[in-house]
Amino acid sequence: MSVPAERNDVTSRGVVPSWRRPELALALIVLGLGVFVIAGTANVAAAASTLGLGPRFFPLLVGAAMVVIGICYVVDVVRGGHGDPEESEDVDARAPADWRGVGLVSVIFLIFAALLDLLGWVIAGALLFFGLALALGARDRLRAAVVAIILAVATYLAFVKGLGVTLPGGLLSGVI
């Protein structure tokens, strides 16, 4: 009995066993984050809204979805499933990862987290959106700044006025 050509090609390339592939690491991270979200939601104690949904409903929903997706993903990877390489006319799958961009975006998020309580959502959010736009390649800085301010104010108003969620006011606490 002979091995199909496709199977022979896969083994000749030295494919990494399923338990050592990055797909399994990502699947376990998704599963772990789902468990983390559910466990973190257990400590939330507040009254339910007029619709009967409390502040625990959506985090529990998201956490449960992440657990289910993580389990399905782990099963798929262990059974031999793998991510297909990107096939687009303007993407080179062999190109190295842009670690500078990943690092820059990570630093921007950490700075945002550090400044959120001090500056408030509107200012820190505008800086976040502006920094991300520049890190991801925006060329027109003025347009990026205007869009960042509009996004920060719009999300603040949507959450605070529309949903009744409290966001830090910071330096603008009496103004907005």
Side-chain angles (χ1 to χ4, degrees):
M1 183 164 183
S2 66
V3 177
E6 180 181 318
R7 175 95 174 144
N8 195 14
D9 180 45
V10 169
T11 56
S12 68
R13 287 185 285 160
V15 172
V16 179
S18 65
W19 56 272
R20 291 187 59 201
R21 292 203 327 249
E23 289 96 345
L24 184 60
L26 179 62
L28 292 173
I29 289 171
V30 169
L31 182 61
L33 284 174
V35 170
F36 179 74
V37 168
I38 291 172
T41 304
N43 295 332
V44 174
S49 69
T50 57
L51 299 175
L53 302 176
R56 300 168 91 189
F57 177 75
F58 286 108
L60 283 175
L61 185 69
V62 170
M66 289 178 73
V67 167
V68 169
I69 290 169
I71 290 171
C72 291
Y73 197 17
V74 166
V75 169
D76 179 55
V77 171
V78 169
R79 289 176 140 183
H82 59 83
D84 295 325
E86 182 70 38
E87 294 186 20
S88 177
E89 58 188 58
D90 63 344
V91 174
D92 183 10
R94 294 167 297 193
D98 181 17
W99 292 110
R100 179 187 170 277
V102 171
L104 200 56
V105 167
S106 299
V107 167
I108 291 169
F109 274 113
L110 290 174
I111 291 171
F112 167 74
L115 295 177
L116 181 60
D117 285 332
L118 178 67
L119 299 178
W121 171 260
V122 174
I123 296 172
L127 291 173
L128 169 73
F129 297 141
F130 180 70
L132 290 176
L134 294 182
L136 297 174
R139 290 186 178 96
D140 188 355
R141 292 176 188 249
L142 180 61
R143 183 184 330 158
V146 170
V147 169
I149 292 169
I150 291 170
L151 278 174
V153 171
T155 54
Y156 181 83
L157 293 175
F159 277 90
V160 172
K161 303 296 183 191
L163 297 174
V165 176
T166 304
L167 293 176
L171 300 175
L172 300 176
S173 61
V175 178
I176 193 164

